[in-house]
Amino acid sequence: MSDALVYYLTPTELAARGEAAIGQSIRLGGLVELGSVSGSATDLTFVLTDRVTEITVHSTVAPTSSFREGAGAV
């Protein structure tokens, strides 16, 4: 069963890693902050939050159809 699990960090967990996280590939999960989404589908910027810490995300990959403000995203 452990092979089927997908792990991700919350914004607070990522922030706690500090500079050690620079250059690492990670999966970040949280809620897409309301009013934070801007740009085109392939040049998207938004804020991901766990209601404690907010992290601005920039993506050049088009999001899935379930991506929206106020919803969870990884």
Side-chain angles (χ1 to χ4, degrees):
M1 183 167 154
S2 65
D3 291 341
L5 297 177
V6 177
Y7 295 100
Y8 63 88
L9 297 176
T10 66
T12 299
E13 292 169 333
L14 179 59
R17 289 189 176 190
E19 290 189 19
I22 295 173
Q24 290 185 343
S25 286
I26 58 105
R27 293 175 61 90
L28 182 65
L31 296 174
V32 180
E33 189 70 31
L34 294 174
S36 71
V37 178
S38 66
S40 67
T42 57
D43 188 24
L44 192 62
T45 300
F46 59 94
V47 174
L48 211 55
T49 182
D50 58 9
R51 303 284 190 225
V52 175
T53 304
E54 297 178 348
I55 296 202
T56 300
V57 176
H58 177 249
S59 176
T60 57
V61 178
T64 64
S65 61
S66 63
F67 179 84
R68 65 185 182 282
E69 293 180 346
V74 177

